[in-house]
């Protein structure tokens, strides 16, 4: 799952660790409107990808739907989501 939660919508921070040839990079992702906004945005992003592509045997894993750079650009464009990067 990219952004999943059964919580009550309180603010959450997701930390994503990206392994590169030069070490690890961490992205912290936070919505100023809370967890519910990230869950709703995730549903929209997944739906957009599913409508664009045909998936073999109609089987897919949610983390495989997105190209990392495309997903990052969509998140950066969303004004209530804060992204911090550290190495």
């Amino acid at each position: 799952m990219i952004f999943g939660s059964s919580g009550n919508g309180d603010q959450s921070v997701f930390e994503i660790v990206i392994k590169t040839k030069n070490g690890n990079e961490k992205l912290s992702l936070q919505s100023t409107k809370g967890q519910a906004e990230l869950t709703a945005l995730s549903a929209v992003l997944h739906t957009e990808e599913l409508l664009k592509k045909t998936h073999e045997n109609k089987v897919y894993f949610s983390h495989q739907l997105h190209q990392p750079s495309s997903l990052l650009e969509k998140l950066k464009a969303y004004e209530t989501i804060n992204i911090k990067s550290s190495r």
Side-chain angles (χ1 to χ4, degrees):
M1 267 190 324
I2 293 180
F3 307 118
S5 174
S6 59
N8 62 6
D10 290 340
Q11 287 198 27
S12 297
V13 175
F14 289 88
E15 186 171 88
I16 303 163
V17 178
I18 303 164
K19 294 181 181 181
T20 68
K21 293 178 184 177
N22 301 325
N24 291 341
E25 182 174 347
K26 292 181 183 179
L27 292 177
S28 296
L29 189 70
Q30 178 189 30
S31 167
T32 58
K33 293 185 176 180
Q35 168 61 37
E37 180 184 44
L38 289 175
T39 302
L41 177 59
S42 176
V44 169
L45 294 175
H46 279 79
T47 301
E48 287 176 347
E49 289 300 313
L50 288 171
L51 291 173
K52 283 190 221 172
K53 300 177 181 177
T54 303
H55 298 280
E56 191 173 316
N57 298 323
K58 300 189 188 254
V59 175
Y60 65 91
F61 295 96
S62 61
H63 66 279
Q64 296 172 324
L65 286 177
H66 303 279
Q67 296 299 318
S69 58
S70 173
L71 178 59
L72 183 58
E73 288 305 312
K74 289 177 182 178
L75 292 172
K76 284 181 177 178
Y78 213 78
E79 54 189 54
T80 57
I81 293 178
N82 300 316
I83 300 172
K84 293 182 183 174
S85 176
S86 63
R87 291 183 189 244

